[in-house]
Amino acid sequence: MTAVVVIAKACLPGRVKTRLTPPFSPEQAARLAAASLDDTLATVAALPVGRRVLFFDGFGIADAPASAAGFEVVPQPAGSLDERLAHVFDLLDEPTLLVGMDTPQVGAAHVAAALDGFAGGEALADLPPAPCPDAWFGPAADGGFWALALRRPRGDVLRGVPMSRADTGAQQLRRLRDAGLRVALLPTLTDVDTAAEGRQVAAGVPGSRFAAELARIAAELGRAA
C-alpha cells in the first residue's frame, strides 16, 4: 500500500503565507493558502493510492478543511520543520510520498514517476530490470523542495537538515545520496511565497481554486494582483 502525505497548517490570517502581506491582507493571504491546500488535497484524493494522510498543524483535528474528507488527519508534533518531517517518515512504514501545500499546480503527472516506481513497473522481457530508485525528490524553484518520496520511510534522512533556506533542497538531496539511496528527480515546481509567484502559478492552472481565489482578490483590490 502506498501512502501520500500532505503537510499543511491551518489557514488562519497571520499564520500562513505571511510573505504575501503586502500586497495582500492577512485575511486574503489565508484565503489563497486555503485554496492552494484545497487544490492539493483534490489532486491527492484522485491518485490511485491506498492511504491518504493530512499531516496537520492546527488547533485540533476539527480544524482540518472539508476538502480533507477521506484523509487520515495526523497532528504535527512540536519542533522544527526537519523534526516534524522526520516524525511522519518514522510513523509510516509503507512507501510514502510527501507533498507540501504551497504548490497548487501539482497534478498527477508531477508525481507519476514516484507512484509508478513504487508499483514496480514492468521490465522488457529481453532486458534485466534496471535498479529502481529508493527515493524521488521534487526540487522547488526557490531552492527548497515540494515533494519527497521514500520506498522505505526513514526519518533520519531528514532530521538535522536546515529548512527554509536557499540551499535546503541541495542539502536534503545530498543527505539522501550520502545515505546510499538511489534518488530520481521529479519536476521542479514553484512554491507560492510571493505575489509574483502566485500570478505565475495561477496562469498555469487557470481552472484551479487558487487561480479563482487570486482573481477574486484582484477584483477586491481593484487592480491586477
Side-chain angles (χ1 to χ4, degrees), residues 16-142:
V16 292
K17 291 297 161 204
T18 54
R19 289 175 60 188
L20 292 177
T21 305
F24 307 122
S25 70
E27 292 76 15
Q28 289 168 335
R31 285 162 48 193
L32 284 172
S36 180
L37 177 55
D38 285 346
D39 281 329
T40 304
L41 291 171
T43 292
V44 173
L47 294 176
V49 297
R51 188 176 184 186
R52 299 170 184 84
V53 177
L54 175 62
F55 189 45
F56 191 58
D57 177 12
F59 295 106
I61 289 177
D63 296 316
S67 53
F71 284 65
E72 300 173 47
V73 181
V74 175
Q76 293 182 31
S80 58
L81 180 55
D82 65 298
E83 289 287 346
R84 285 178 280 141
L85 293 175
H87 172 82
V88 76
F89 277 106
D90 282 337
L91 187 66
L92 303 177
D93 56 13
E94 60 264 74
T96 298
L97 166 65
L98 174 85
V99 298
M101 62 175 283
D102 299 330
T103 49
Q105 73 274 40
V106 69
H110 295 113
V111 298
L115 299 184
D116 289 347
F118 286 157
E122 295 186 11
L124 296 175
D126 59 345
L127 293 176
C132 194
D134 305 301
W136 288 262
F137 182 77
D142 64 0

Side-chain angles (χ1 to χ4, degrees), residues 35 56 60 64 92 104 119 140 161 164 195 217 224:
F56 191 58
L92 303 177
V161 174
S164 302
I217 290 171

